[in-house]
Amino acid sequence: MQQTSKIVGTKRVRIPVAMATLWLAGAEVGFAADAPAGQAYTNSLGMGFVRFEPGTFTMGAGTDLRIVDTGALDWDEQPAHSVTLTAAFYVLTARVSKAQFDLAGLPGSVTGGGGRVSWERASAFCAWLSRKEGLTYRLPTEAE
């Protein structure tokens, strides 16, 4: 699974629509829809999701607690550490299509080669989809 980038300082991160992988949580306060329970879920736009169960895994690489330039690792990939995800979540299995993205009616258009959108626009799409579906959609964390 591809990792999403995080914003560091004032650096603007461009996320391909393909990487605008959505996280789907269960119904929350203010939402009326029932949370999906199966291994797969398809929403009203035909977007397919697959369920990931809670668990613990090792994230990153290396053992040095100091931030070192290894040439092979970015500074935020070290040292390796244990991460526990405590709740199941769903991840989108395919790209968000331009047609699906355009349904949100966000200002502007998908830009650049490969259909790239900014983190802010991908997040705005998630907020729109949450209101439309009655479930919580958001961009995944780096660990997810």
Side-chain angles (χ1 to χ4, degrees):
M1 180 168 39
Q2 292 180 319
Q3 295 181 359
T4 57
S5 298
K6 56 185 174 183
I7 296 175
V8 179
T10 59
K11 181 173 148 185
R12 171 160 267 202
V13 178
R14 310 277 311 163
I15 302 172
V17 174
M19 289 181 60
T21 305
L22 304 176
W23 184 91
L24 171 60
E28 296 183 5
V29 177
F31 291 101
D34 291 329
Q39 289 301 310
Y41 170 74
T42 302
N43 70 9
S44 70
L45 298 182
M47 301 167 82
F49 296 82
V50 64
R51 182 182 172 107
F52 284 81
E53 299 300 329
T56 301
F57 67 97
T58 301
M59 184 171 160
T63 58
D64 195 335
L65 295 177
R66 296 173 292 139
I67 296 174
V68 294
D69 181 8
T70 67
L73 295 172
D74 287 334
W75 65 270
D76 62 347
E77 295 174 340
Q78 53 187 318
H81 57 284
S82 182
V83 173
T84 299
L85 299 174
T86 59
F89 57 96
Y90 290 82
V91 175
L92 189 62
T93 60
R95 294 175 179 226
V96 174
S97 72
K98 182 177 182 329
Q100 290 166 332
F101 189 85
D102 287 347
L103 289 172
L106 298 171
S109 63
V110 174
T111 60
R116 296 182 181 269
V117 298
S118 67
W119 182 93
E120 291 84 1
R121 293 196 59 226
S123 185
F125 176 80
C126 291
W128 170 81
L129 192 56
S130 295
R131 289 187 302 275
K132 179 183 178 349
E133 297 284 307
L135 294 167
T136 301
Y137 291 80
R138 66 168 173 79
L139 297 171
T141 65
E142 186 173 5
E144 291 165 342

